[in-house]
Amino acid sequence: MPDVLLGQAYYLRFDPKLWKARQPYPPLGTLYAASYLRERGHAIALFDAMLADSPAGWRQALDREQPRIAVIYEDSFNYLSKMCLLRMRDAAFAMIDHARQSGRPVIVSGSDATDHPELYLARGAAAVILGEGEVTLAELVERLLAGQRVAGVPGAATLGPDGTVHRGPARPFLRSLDDLPLPAWDLVDIDRYRAIWRGRHGYHSMNVATTRGCPFHCNWCAKPIYGQRYAVRSAASVAAEFAWLKRTYAPDHLWVVDDVFGLKPGWVADFARELDARGAHIPFRCLMRADQVSRAVAASLAASGCRMVWMGAESGSQRILDAMEKGLRVDDIREACRHLRQSGIATGLFLQFGYPGETWDDVQATLELVRDLDPADIGVSVSYPLPGTRFHERVRDELGQKQNWVDSDDLAVMYHATYAPEFYRELHHAVHFEFRARRLVRQVAALARAPWRARPADLRPIASWGLNRWRLARSHRRLAKLAADPAHRASIATLPPQLSPAAAATPTRQDDWPLGGTAPPPAGSRP
């Protein structure tokens, strides 16, 4: 009988877009918590919600394992957990209910619980961990096992007799990440993950963390777990983990889940050397800031086996980047892509539309940036106000009852953006349709140069060219109609004060490429 049953509440099946993509990763943060408790002598069992059908599986795990304590410990390295999706909150509540019905105390850790401990405590959690969780979790577990009270534990919130939330003193962050044991991978059904990945994508990817936190100040980015700090493991420690994963599980690919990979000067070059010394290269992708990708860094990334770098471009408009307090120039994005391309590394760009004050000109600047840079992939979203951010404070009075997305494809604009929510949903479709059209052009050109290399799988997307082009034209017409309709325009008074009202004026020039130009074409015109 284990001391603790650990689980998390991100169910891939409850997120239709990601379920369709079939790119599941085990809950890395939960596995770190498991290994940390093990190192302190506790017997641990794991319920992995990522591949589970529903919270009913958690109830079955409680009955099967008979743990003394139940812990819902969200994977803080999963950006979808940071988004605090309502479907996953409901799942967490159901898991709390199941644990309480079985007579077991429940501890909860995660971004949403840190932001709203009162919701989880009112549901029945004995304690909510605030921020970085391993040390606080260990103390809570040890107190509960000893029959002691958990009120006042540093880094935790509890419910007082009067029904109010009591927060313990702040707990210091972990100083040395190298001292943490490796994640408890043996608790995971790796074969099942491998089968899903190889069945859909032809390779198997696993996840690794080399840092915690981010020191930058983008005003829309929530940091409830690690705050404004940036802690990094040594290059030798990460290279040793690569070598261990290669020996133990032989993954074909790794996703480095850091908010910012290799920020410490010289770290990427050291990492490449440490991998060389161990023969531990595994192709990987990571996330970096554009202003940290120099020619030398790109060369070191290539030497370490990096195949793709994702960057938070957000916008091609310098006005919007400045309003976001991104601390980044559009030229930084262009230069980083050039360095990466010269080193043979693909780029992915995260794009964000709908930030307060964004006009049609700003939207067009972002689209032109994507066309010019021609990235290997894009991720498109709309601005999402999360508690604890300056962005949230700015738009808080505009928020209604809905303050969270249901799942990652919700895309609701919950404040007064320049256009109505329907515009941004259509823009999301149009940007993807255009990106696919350009990608199909490249595929056709490649096959024309070497038709003997064509496989049946290559022909399917090419056959969809006509359908995609039709969808793009239809989406463009809908977008133009929404943009031109005054009923779908927000009041100039809702724009933030640092952006002048004159900037919201709509110019009249247009290009004939779909979505091109500085103004939407007249409603009903042909793209």
Side-chain angles (χ1 to χ4, degrees), residues 319 356-362 418-419 489-507:
R319 284 185 344 115
E358 181 187 56
T359 65
W360 184 264
D361 276 348
D362 300 316
T418 305
Y419 297 100
R489 297 296 302 272
S491 167
I492 296 299
T494 66
L495 304 183
Q498 72 270 25
L499 300 177
S500 67
T506 304

Side-chain angles (χ1 to χ4, degrees), residues 34-42 179-181:
S35 63
Y36 192 87
L37 290 176
R38 270 183 172 175
E39 194 173 64
R40 278 144 188 79
H42 300 294
D179 293 339
L180 287 170

Side-chain angles (χ1 to χ4, degrees), residues 26-201:
L28 191 62
T30 315
L31 299 183
Y32 266 111
S35 63
Y36 192 87
L37 290 176
R38 270 183 172 175
E39 194 173 64
R40 278 144 188 79
H42 300 294
I44 305 298
L46 176 72
F47 168 75
D48 185 0
M50 179 63 71
L51 301 182
D53 292 334
S54 73
W58 166 257
R59 183 179 62 238
Q60 294 164 4
L62 289 167
D63 293 341
R64 180 178 63 252
E65 302 294 345
Q66 293 294 306
R68 298 173 66 185
I69 301 170
V71 176
I72 303 170
Y73 196 102
E74 302 300 343
D75 178 12
S76 58
F77 298 112
N78 180 353
Y79 78 96
L80 294 166
S81 293
K82 301 176 189 178
M83 291 173 67
C84 309
L85 303 172
L86 290 181
R87 190 65 188 85
M88 309 311 168
R89 180 190 286 176
D90 290 343
F93 286 170
M95 293 170 71
I96 293 173
D97 293 345
H98 291 325
R100 291 197 66 204
Q101 289 163 10
S102 69
R104 295 176 176 85
V106 188
I107 301 170
V108 180
S109 173
S111 295
D112 192 44
T114 296
D115 288 336
H116 302 288
E118 69 283 357
L119 299 179
Y120 291 82
L121 292 169
R123 193 73 180 202
V128 167
I129 296 172
L130 307 174
E132 189 174 42
E134 288 92 346
V135 179
T136 303
L137 175 62
E139 183 171 345
L140 289 170
V141 165
E142 286 155 11
R143 286 200 181 197
L144 288 171
L145 290 176
Q148 300 173 353
R149 297 175 65 249
V150 294
V153 169
T158 56
L159 206 60
D162 58 353
T164 59
V165 175
H166 292 262
R167 298 170 183 261
R171 185 180 293 277
F173 290 110
L174 290 171
R175 289 181 173 271
S176 174
L177 300 185
D178 284 0
D179 293 339
L180 287 170
L182 289 176
W185 282 106
D186 61 291
L187 297 176
V188 176
D189 187 350
I190 296 294
D191 289 339
R192 190 177 176 197
Y193 279 92
R194 184 185 292 114
I196 293 172
W197 272 94
R198 289 189 174 166
R200 174 60 67 91
H201 305 286

Side-chain angles (χ1 to χ4, degrees), residues 471-526:
R471 286 174 172 170
L472 174 58
R474 182 185 62 173
S475 184
H476 179 229
R477 288 192 293 272
R478 289 178 176 173
L479 192 65
K481 184 176 180 180
L482 290 168
D485 185 352
H488 291 281
R489 297 296 302 272
S491 167
I492 296 299
T494 66
L495 304 183
Q498 72 270 25
L499 300 177
S500 67
T506 304
T508 58
R509 184 173 59 83
Q510 66 181 70
D511 290 341
D512 55 6
W513 174 262
L515 301 182
T518 58
S525 67
R526 295 182 62 82

Side-chain angles (χ1 to χ4, degrees), residues 397-467:
D397 293 340
E398 303 172 12
L399 301 177
Q401 184 176 3
K402 182 181 175 69
Q403 299 192 14
N404 293 83
W405 288 350
V406 174
D407 55 50
S408 65
D409 203 29
D410 188 324
L411 299 181
V413 181
M414 296 173 288
Y415 52 93
H416 299 318
T418 305
Y419 297 100
E422 293 83 357
F423 173 88
Y424 295 102
R425 290 194 183 95
E426 196 60 51
L427 178 60
H428 178 271
H429 295 320
V431 173
H432 277 291
F433 290 148
E434 181 176 329
F435 178 78
R436 290 171 195 157
R438 290 174 176 269
R439 185 169 56 186
L440 286 170
V441 168
R442 292 194 298 270
Q443 290 176 322
V444 171
L447 286 177
R449 289 192 298 269
W452 58 89
R453 294 181 180 175
R455 301 172 301 172
D458 297 324
L459 301 178
R460 284 194 295 269
I462 295 172
S464 68
W465 160 258
L467 176 60

